[in-house]
């Protein structure tokens, strides 16, 4: 894959940062002897194609009590995908870290299972989607509980670095794009007519509220 001038500059500018963070995260593999690999594989799977997050956001949108969260999540996912998948990945065209066979990334990648991805590397789409969906939950929910949504985003970013399918700078960019998308989604969702949030998509059977003798 021929990398763009932007990708070459990013590789150079973030070289020390990417190598240092990846090496630090890889200590989890060294410490656990591969124990954490299935966990991070599962976390990464939840972000594949955004299918899980899309399904979850649509499910929350269907039910009136959670429609506020679901609507904002859908918007955050859409905005994040538009910026990341339709713009930045195409323009920057950064190759995956494991494609550089003479690098430490390739060595780590071989150790953790040699997972491959088909699209370009910058930014991390998984991380963008995770924060694009979870930031609205954090902002709209009760903070003593909703902070756990951000934990999912952090784990997603760690998983992508651990599996060496992304550079840490890819994940950092995904975090920034996803967070911005999530914040914009909350603003947009607040401007949607309230009638949308009051609609009943699931009709109760007639007389279901009545108690039978």
């Amino acid at each position: 894959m021929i990398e763009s001038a932007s990708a070459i500059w990013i590789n150079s500018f973030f070289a020390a940062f990417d190598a240092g963070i990846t090496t630090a995260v890889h200590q989890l593999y060294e410490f656990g002897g591969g124990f954490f690999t299935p966990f991070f594989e599962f976390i990464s799977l939840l972000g594949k194609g955004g299918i899980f997050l899309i399904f979850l956001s649509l499910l929350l949108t269907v039910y009136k009590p959670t429609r506020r969260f679901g609507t904002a999540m859908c918007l955050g996912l859409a905005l994040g995908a538009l910026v990341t998948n339709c713009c930045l990945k195409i323009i920057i065209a950064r190759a995956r870290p494991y494609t550089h066979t003479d690098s430490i990334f390739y060595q780590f990648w071989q150790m953790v299972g040699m997972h491959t991805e088909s699209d370009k590397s910058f930014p991390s789409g998984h991380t963008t989607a995770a924060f694009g969906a979870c930031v609205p939950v954090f902002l709209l929910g009760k903070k003593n509980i909703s902070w756990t949504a951000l934990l999912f985003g952090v784990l997603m970013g760690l998983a992508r670095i651990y599996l060496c399918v992304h550079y840490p700078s890819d994940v950092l960019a995904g975090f920034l794009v996803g967070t911005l998308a999530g914040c914009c989604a909350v603003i947009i969702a607040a401007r949607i007519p309230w009638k949308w949030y009051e609609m009943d998509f699931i009709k109760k059977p007639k007389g279901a509220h009545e108690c039978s003798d």
Side-chain angles (χ1 to χ4, degrees), residues 17 45 97 100 180 190 208:
F17 173 80
L45 181 63
H100 299 281
L180 181 60

Side-chain angles (χ1 to χ4, degrees), residues 107-123:
Q107 297 172 28
F108 293 158
W109 175 71
Q110 289 181 307
M111 294 179 187
V112 296
M114 301 175 67
H115 300 274
T116 58
E117 299 286 348
S118 58
D119 61 351
K120 300 174 181 68
S121 193
F122 185 95

Side-chain angles (χ1 to χ4, degrees), residues 56-102:
L56 178 60
S57 63
L58 291 175
L59 186 63
L60 293 174
T61 302
V62 168
Y63 292 95
K64 189 193 295 186
T66 58
R67 189 166 301 150
R68 222 168 35 120
F69 298 99
T71 300
M73 287 175 68
C74 285
L75 290 169
L77 286 167
L79 291 171
L82 182 64
V83 174
T84 293
N85 296 348
C86 300
C87 297
L88 294 179
K89 278 183 179 287
I90 296 172
I91 294 171
I92 295 177
R94 189 185 196 186
R96 297 280 175 175
Y98 56 76
T99 60
H100 299 281
T101 56
D102 58 344

Side-chain angles (χ1 to χ4, degrees), residues 2-11 91-93:
I2 300 176
E3 294 187 298
S4 68
S6 298
I8 294 172
W9 179 84
I10 291 172
N11 287 341
I91 294 171
I92 295 177

